[in-house]
Amino acid sequence: MSAPEMHERREFDGDSRSVAAARRFVTDVLTRWHTPLGDTALMVSELATNAVLHAGSPFVIDVHCSDAGVLRVEVSDTDPTPPVPELGLANESVRGRGLLLVTALARQWGYHMTSHGKTVWFEV
């Protein structure tokens, strides 16, 4: 018998303080679900930061754990621009590595357009 699917959702303001709040939210959810955190908090920070920097509006985080044990985190914002990893960054560059980190750490990631912007997701 498999475990039931779980889901939690929360909306955040589109400012820099929300990045830490989003990270705490996901950490708290996974702790309650007795699910290992791994690199999930780091990936949430990166996607939440992108939502704040590029959309500058409230964003929503959905955390799903399927009955098969696949953890999926989605960050939805109002920016209709598709996310693109920035390749060829200079070593001294302090921005532009978020999606590269998600690419390296997630089992898979992607995005889909919505009627209000886009949702970027990753699975672990």
Side-chain angles (χ1 to χ4, degrees):
M1 186 167 161
S2 60
E5 184 167 327
M6 298 177 283
H7 174 244
E8 292 208 27
R9 174 187 190 103
R10 183 167 297 162
E11 185 172 331
F12 297 88
D13 293 331
D15 62 50
S16 60
R17 293 182 309 247
S18 293
V19 173
R23 191 172 50 245
R24 278 191 307 274
F25 164 67
V26 171
T27 299
D28 291 346
V29 167
L30 297 185
T31 299
R32 278 196 317 279
W33 291 354
H34 305 287
T35 302
L37 185 60
D39 295 313
T40 304
L42 173 60
M43 292 187 283
V44 166
S45 290
E46 296 301 332
L47 296 186
T49 297
N50 284 351
V52 168
L53 287 176
H54 300 294
S57 65
F59 61 95
V60 174
I61 294 187
D62 286 282
V63 184
H64 306 268
C65 189
S66 72
D67 54 4
V70 175
L71 178 67
R72 180 179 176 119
V73 178
E74 301 176 344
V75 179
S76 302
D77 64 41
T78 61
D79 183 7
T81 307
V84 178
E86 294 188 37
L87 304 174
L89 294 169
N91 288 339
E92 62 276 1
S93 179
V94 295
R95 292 180 61 183
R97 289 187 168 77
L99 287 178
L100 295 175
L101 280 169
V102 172
T103 300
L105 298 173
R107 182 170 70 99
Q108 62 181 350
W109 77 274
Y111 71 93
H112 59 270
M113 304 313 290
T114 68
S115 60
H116 302 291
K118 70 177 170 306
T119 296
V120 183
W121 57 268
F122 65 84
E123 292 181 351
V124 295

